[in-house]
Amino acid sequence: MKQNKLFIPLLSALFLMNGCKLNHEVVEHTSFFNAYEQIDEAEIMNLASQADVSLNYGNPEVMYQTAEQVVIARVDSIDGSSNYNEQTGEYVFPFTYGKMTILAVKKGNLSVNQQVPYLRMGAILTFEQYYQGLLPDHQQKIAEHMDQQPKYVKHMFGDDIDIEAGKIYLIYIGENDSKDSPEKDAYPIIGWEGGLREIKGDLSSQAQIQVLNNITGEWENLSQLIPDE
């Protein structure tokens, strides 16, 4: 079995106009599932990976050009996590998967009110899941130096943010290549904190929509982030 091929190459390959389609009547949805909700934070060991990344994911123009799809969507569920690609038989960087509903399309061919599966780099795993994804020498180091193993491991990339069920985001989506994807037919959210940006404002009026910049902490007008049609 091949081990520890990071999810980063997949997401790099998955990182790319049609008219703006706004959903003027957002369907009410009051129940949002979060598989992480019952996990005690005190039982989690936090890890962050770093790497040289050529993509400037803090630049909205670069992100728009790189993404295959750019949408406003509501995260309906966080269904689970994994670090194993069932289709290729390889361990990958931990990822979270779930479902989201498309509320507006800024680029691409998804449809308003369509619910689609997503996946995103970064996840909370059981320690056993995390350990199985390590190379043998890393497993040995952990066995030698860890006095007490945690129940869970949260493994994120850099300063990435958590995805939250029930929130509405501006989302940048990469190529949906289901034959290599850890979750078949799922749409990969790319760009870490630059590709998942919280939305506030009236969705029926683009001029009133603001988008959170996760890097600066400031709210920006959506019209400044999306090229003129």
Side-chain angles (χ1 to χ4, degrees):
M1 179 180 295
K2 300 178 184 177
Q3 294 237 2
N4 216 42
K5 286 201 175 179
L6 292 184
F7 201 34
I8 296 172
L10 171 63
L11 287 181
S12 308
L14 298 179
F15 273 126
L16 272 113
M17 224 179 290
N18 68 4
C20 169
K21 307 167 188 172
L22 283 173
N23 179 19
H24 297 278
E25 297 181 4
V26 179
V27 177
E28 288 295 326
H29 192 106
T30 57
S31 178
F32 303 102
F33 177 72
N34 180 359
Y36 299 148
E37 191 171 27
Q38 301 304 318
I39 297 177
D40 185 347
E41 289 189 11
E43 298 180 319
I44 301 174
M45 179 176 72
N46 291 283
L47 297 177
S49 291
Q50 303 288 339
D52 290 329
V53 180
S54 59
L55 179 72
N56 182 1
Y57 53 87
N59 185 322
E61 182 177 349
V62 171
M63 288 296 296
Y64 186 90
Q65 294 302 323
T66 302
E68 288 282 349
Q69 316 261 358
V70 181
V71 301
I72 293 174
R74 181 189 61 222
V75 176
D76 296 330
S77 66
I78 297 171
D79 293 332
S81 63
S82 182
N83 61 344
Y84 187 70
N85 187 328
E86 297 282 355
Q87 298 199 94
T88 63
E90 299 172 336
Y91 282 100
V92 296
F93 195 97
F95 61 94
T96 295
Y97 59 89
K99 297 180 182 66
M100 61 183 178
T101 295
I102 308 303
L103 304 180
V105 178
K106 300 300 183 180
K107 176 183 179 181
N109 57 12
L110 288 171
S111 301
V112 172
N113 288 329
Q114 180 181 4
Q115 188 183 67
V116 298
Y118 71 83
L119 59 85
R120 185 171 188 266
M121 210 172 165
I124 300 175
L125 306 169
T126 65
F127 179 83
E128 289 74 17
Q129 281 179 294
Y130 169 74
Y131 184 83
Q132 288 299 318
L134 297 176
L135 293 170
D137 58 334
H138 292 161
Q139 290 178 338
Q140 183 176 351
K141 287 180 181 178
I142 284 182
E144 292 173 352
H145 299 290
M146 182 174 285
D147 295 329
Q148 183 177 0
Q149 71 182 43
K151 190 170 183 180
Y152 299 96
V153 174
K154 182 178 182 179
H155 197 175
M156 305 291 283
F157 190 85
D159 297 319
D160 199 6
I161 63 168
D162 295 325
I163 190 168
E164 298 183 52
K167 280 195 173 181
I168 295 175
Y169 298 94
L170 176 66
I171 297 178
Y172 296 82
I173 298 171
E175 182 182 352
N176 179 21
D177 188 356
S178 58
K179 72 178 185 300
D180 292 323
S181 174
E183 287 292 306
K184 188 177 181 182
D185 298 323
Y187 290 86
I189 300 174
I190 63 173
W192 301 286
E193 67 267 32
L196 184 75
R197 302 182 56 178
E198 186 178 349
I199 286 281
K200 70 176 182 179
D202 183 358
L203 291 189
S204 67
S205 172
Q206 176 161 322
Q208 296 184 41
I209 298 175
Q210 290 193 301
V211 184
L212 180 62
N213 186 320
N214 293 306
I215 299 170
T216 67
E218 298 178 351
W219 290 91
E220 301 169 341
N221 294 329
L222 177 64
S223 58
Q224 297 175 309
L225 309 179
I226 304 297
D228 293 334
E229 299 177 84

